[in-house]
Amino acid sequence: MTCKITSFKPQYFKLPLDEVLTDAKHGDHTHFELITVTVGVTVDGSDEVQGTGYTYTGGRGGLAVMAVLEHDLKHFLLGRTDADNVEVLNTVMQDHLHYVARGGIVSFAISAVDIALWDVRGKRKGEPLWKMAGGAGHTCKAYCGGIDLGFPLPKLLASVQGYIDKGFNGVKIKVGQKRLEDDVERVQAVRKLIGPDVSFMVDANYSMSEDQAIAAAKEFKRSNILWFEEPIIPDNYSGFARVGSATGVPLAMGENLHTIHEFDLAFEHSNLSFIQPDASNCGGISVWLEVARKAHKNNIPVCSHGMQELHCSLVSSQPNAGWIEVHSFPIDKYTLRPLVVENQLAVAPDTPGVGVNFDWAKLAACHDAQ
């Protein structure tokens, strides 16, 4: 059987946010970037089946991702006849660009292609992603993650209340204020608002030193947080273990790990309680699933970062399913099926393929308005 890549179309969209969103490391976000790639595949000369994959950024670097897709991967992949072996092709793409980038922008580009090929695989098989990826289930826990460091306390509390009103039983806020006392006040106020039964996480976007993270974790622990996310720079793998050991607070990271080798280092050295691979930047669905298998072996729940419309299928499919993040970059509102939440659980789509079908007219209109 010959599965030939016959078309390859990347697209770039600059999409607005309703308001400026701020975190402790990246500063202000006024928009986000969505980069899609639609890949066409024929099987032994049959009609072309098209699949769409995508990645995103916080507003910077998207055109560089587009350049990798357009100038490097497009011409490398067109005409290849092994499109059915997605996992091997993922490694082939990594090897092709290894010298100029291990991880980083190249991983964003490869992720988009990998997701597109999984979309083709599912459409050809007539299977949804949650079944192809493992089939353990089709629902998972979901929390709302705000980019809200710049919100005054009353606005922060109103935002969190909005999550609860929408039916979520997990919330996450940003920490990393200049004064720890201000972070503590906000964390305590949120816990008081949501009560003891709603899961509560905090995220510092790797803005702290080890000593700062230890001091902060000891204070946040009083508010019964489920996890402290990225307190320190993700490259400091052993530092995570030291923060966790000194405080007893569960730690999480993963969104800034962009190769399977980085995840291996985290599993070996960081003593994490939760792992959060993002299929948009770790190498796509193929690498995400490899991380999930290793997490299961290490008795760690696999969670996600962003792109909730896709990750609901991946997390649901795993026996060690954790939480998906419902992110403040609302990619799903540009799709034909925004995230579905029922009884406080995210519901994976049953559509063959990855289950993410974009509203191209809406994307174009919002991009053109920027």
Side-chain angles (χ1 to χ4, degrees):
M1 182 177 67
T2 301
C3 292
K4 185 176 182 179
I5 298 177
T6 49
S7 62
F8 189 99
K9 181 183 179 181
Q11 298 183 79
Y12 169 88
F13 301 95
K14 182 179 178 181
L15 301 171
L17 294 169
D18 292 336
E19 60 183 325
V20 176
L21 302 177
T22 305
D23 68 50
K25 177 60 70 170
H26 308 102
D28 292 344
H29 299 277
T30 59
H31 64 281
F32 68 99
E33 298 170 305
L34 178 71
I35 303 95
T36 68
V37 59
T38 300
V39 177
V41 174
T42 61
V43 180
D44 294 334
S46 63
D47 291 341
E48 185 180 72
V49 177
Q50 291 190 337
T52 296
Y54 62 107
T55 184
Y56 70 97
T57 81
R60 304 156 197 158
L63 291 174
V65 177
M66 268 293 289
V68 173
L69 289 166
E70 185 66 49
H71 299 296
D72 294 300
L73 291 177
K74 179 178 181 179
H75 302 292
F76 177 66
L77 294 172
L78 278 172
R80 290 190 67 99
T81 56
D82 53 354
D84 58 324
N85 202 337
V86 183
E87 294 83 356
V88 170
L89 198 52
N90 187 291
T91 300
V92 169
M93 288 188 286
Q94 300 277 2
D95 291 345
H96 180 62
L97 294 170
H98 181 270
Y99 186 64
V100 294
R102 292 179 296 150
I105 285 168
V106 165
S107 280
F108 283 71
I110 290 173
S111 296
V113 176
D114 184 86
I115 293 167
L117 293 172
W118 273 87
D119 198 27
V120 170
R121 175 183 278 180
K123 288 175 179 177
R124 287 186 52 236
K125 288 185 171 184
E127 290 185 2
L129 180 57
W130 69 268
K131 284 188 177 180
M132 291 191 293
H138 72 284
T139 62
C140 63
K141 295 180 288 187
Y143 71 90
C144 286
I147 305 177
D148 46 26
L149 192 70
F151 289 5
L153 183 55
K155 184 175 181 178
L156 173 66
L157 296 178
S159 177
V160 170
Q161 184 61 54
Y163 303 151
I164 304 302
D165 293 344
K166 290 177 182 176
F168 292 94
N169 65 344
V171 300
K172 185 177 77 181
I173 68 168
K174 298 296 188 186
V175 294
Q177 301 285 342
K178 292 181 179 179
R179 297 190 326 135
L180 176 57
E181 294 87 344
D182 295 330
D183 275 329
V184 172
E185 179 187 15
R186 291 159 72 88
V187 168
Q188 290 177 344
V190 170
R191 175 51 82 190
K192 181 178 179 180
L193 173 70
I194 63 179
D197 298 327
V198 174
S199 295
F200 182 28
M201 306 81 155
V202 298
D203 181 0
N205 290 104
Y206 61 94
S207 61
M208 299 179 179
S209 67
E210 283 188 41
D211 288 343
Q212 289 172 326
I214 289 169
K218 288 178 178 178
E219 292 294 334
F220 301 156
K221 188 176 183 179
R222 305 174 193 274
S223 295
N224 190 28
I225 57 172
L226 180 63
W227 73 58
F228 188 3
E229 184 172 330
E230 284 196 329
I232 60 176
I233 189 168
D235 308 83
N236 186 2
Y237 300 102
S238 58
F240 272 79
R242 288 190 290 271
V243 173
S245 176
T247 64
V249 171
L251 302 181
M253 73 162 165
E255 70 185 79
N256 283 294
L257 305 181
H258 295 159
T259 71
I260 191 62
H261 311 294
E262 293 171 351
F263 283 97
D264 285 340
L265 289 169
F267 286 131
E268 183 177 357
H269 298 293
S270 297
N271 195 25
L272 298 173
S273 295
F274 300 88
I275 195 74
Q276 302 166 301
D278 186 336
S280 79
N281 65 36
C282 72
I285 292 169
S286 298
V287 177
W288 194 99
L289 290 174
E290 191 174 355
V291 174
R293 288 189 291 269
K294 292 186 175 191
H296 188 232
K297 184 178 179 180
N298 285 277
N299 297 311
I300 298 174
V302 64
C303 302
S304 67
H305 168 260
M307 54 193 303
Q308 53 266 19
E309 65 289 334
L310 180 82
H311 283 132
C312 64
S313 296
L314 291 177
V315 172
S316 296
S317 75
Q318 298 304 300
N320 55 325
W323 293 76
I324 67 163
E325 177 184 34
V326 181
H327 200 271
S328 296
F329 296 164
I331 298 173
D332 66 319
K333 86 173 191 179
Y334 296 97
T335 72
L336 301 180
R337 183 193 184 270
L339 182 70
V340 174
V341 177
E342 296 176 354
N343 300 318
Q344 300 180 328
L345 296 174
V347 182
D350 282 318
T351 311
V354 301
V356 180
N357 297 296
F358 287 105
D359 185 335
W360 298 108
K362 185 175 183 179
L363 279 171
C366 291
H367 172 71
D368 290 343
Q370 288 293 290

